């Protein structure tokens, strides 16, 4: 099914007005933020559920101190990823994150260290991010979990079913539930990463 959630992040006690998923470490798997390009990153495996992050550089020929992203290219690449998931009947959550300031072009991932040395000579770009989190169907989550595995939960906001669950859950239990009941099996995820890596071309 398809529906929207809106969330007022300034009123939920977070230290920044950003979803926790937006702050997760990631590595580039394709593209970059140069003019006319789209970039796709993969979230760190340490996060609850691995997912893709799509962002875009400015349109070709657009210059400036902080150029805005090419939203058409961003939307087209995002739809390619979603269409692939739909064709495989893979459940997924989509998070639209507004620009939060400049994002610098990251280098290609090389054993996890590439982003540590991102080239500072690149022009910053003002781009929204689209986070696409493929997952198992929500019905696969154990009935005793005490929370759903919907868009807010995969984004890092755990909404407990009741006060007892809230008081008893701990981070290790939440991680285990997500890894066992929500995250895709590694072979399928690796296959998707290989497929998605060709989409910005």
């Amino acid at each position: 099914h398809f529906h929207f959630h809106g969330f007022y992040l300034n009123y939920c006690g977070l230290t920044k007005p950003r979803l926790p998923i937006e702050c997760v470490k990631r590595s580039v798997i394709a593209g970059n933020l140069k003019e006319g390009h789209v970039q796709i990153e993969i979230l760190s495996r340490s996060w609850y559920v691995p997912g893709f992050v799509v962002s875009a550089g400015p349109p070709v020929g657009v210059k400036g101190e902080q150029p805005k992203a090419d939203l058409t290219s961003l939307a087209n690449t995002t739809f390619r990823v979603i269409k692939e998931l739909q064709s495989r009947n893979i459940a997924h959550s989509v998070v639209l994150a507004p620009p939060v300031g400049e994002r610098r072009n990251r280098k290609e991932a090389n054993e996890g260290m590439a982003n540590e040395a991102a080239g500072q000579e690149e022009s910053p770009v003002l781009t929204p991010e689209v986070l696409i989190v493929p997952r198992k169907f929500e019905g696969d989550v154990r009935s005793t979990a005490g929370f759903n595995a919907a868009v807010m939960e995969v984004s890092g906001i755990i909404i407990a079913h009741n006060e007892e669950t809230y008081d008893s859950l701990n981070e290790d239990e939440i991680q285990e539930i997500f890894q066992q009941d929500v995250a895709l099996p590694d072979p399928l995820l690796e296959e998707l990463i290989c497929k998605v890596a060709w989409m910005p071309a």
Side-chain angles (χ1 to χ4, degrees):
H1 68 280
F2 178 75
H3 63 269
F4 286 97
H5 289 267
F7 204 69
Y8 294 96
L9 292 171
N10 290 330
Y11 301 98
C12 66
L14 297 173
T15 56
K16 300 177 186 176
R18 299 173 68 190
L19 290 166
I21 195 172
E22 293 179 71
C23 304
V24 174
K25 290 183 180 180
R26 71 267 302 254
S27 296
V28 175
I29 60 172
N32 57 64
L33 294 179
K34 295 178 182 176
E35 287 182 30
H37 292 262
V38 174
Q39 177 173 276
I40 300 179
E41 298 167 285
I42 186 79
L43 295 175
S44 166
R45 298 286 183 106
S46 64
W47 184 243
Y48 296 140
V49 186
F52 302 105
V53 184
V54 185
S55 51
V60 174
V62 173
K63 307 289 183 188
E65 211 169 285
Q66 196 176 53
K68 292 183 179 178
D70 183 345
L71 297 182
T72 300
S73 294
L74 177 65
N76 288 339
T77 301
T78 297
F79 182 71
R80 282 190 210 110
V81 176
I82 291 171
K83 188 175 178 184
E84 179 66 24
L85 297 174
Q86 289 175 334
S87 72
R88 294 169 178 250
N89 199 30
I90 295 174
H92 53 280
S93 296
V94 179
V95 178
L96 306 176
V100 292
E102 66 182 48
R103 300 190 197 278
R104 291 191 175 273
N105 186 42
R106 299 172 191 252
K107 294 182 179 178
E108 290 296 322
N110 181 15
E111 299 180 356
M113 298 303 292
N115 295 341
E116 304 290 330
Q120 293 301 308
E121 74 285 350
E122 298 290 348
S123 297
V125 60
L126 194 63
T127 177
E129 292 184 331
V130 183
L131 297 99
I132 305 165
V133 184
R135 54 181 172 77
K136 295 177 183 173
F137 286 101
E138 199 168 327
D140 292 345
V141 178
R142 66 195 74 171
S143 60
T144 57
F147 61 87
N148 296 331
V151 67
M152 294 313 303
E153 288 77 14
V154 301
S155 296
I157 307 290
I158 306 299
I159 302 170
H161 290 167
N162 52 52
E163 188 175 352
E164 181 184 354
T165 300
Y166 177 84
D167 289 337
S168 65
L169 276 175
N170 62 54
E171 186 66 21
D172 289 339
E173 287 177 299
I174 293 169
Q175 285 277 5
E176 191 270 334
I177 290 168
F178 271 101
Q179 288 168 6
Q180 296 297 318
D181 299 3
V182 184
L184 295 179
D186 282 346
L188 178 54
L189 180 63
E190 293 295 337
E191 187 181 328
L192 281 173
I193 291 171
C194 290
K195 184 81 175 181
V196 167
W198 289 94
M199 291 184 179

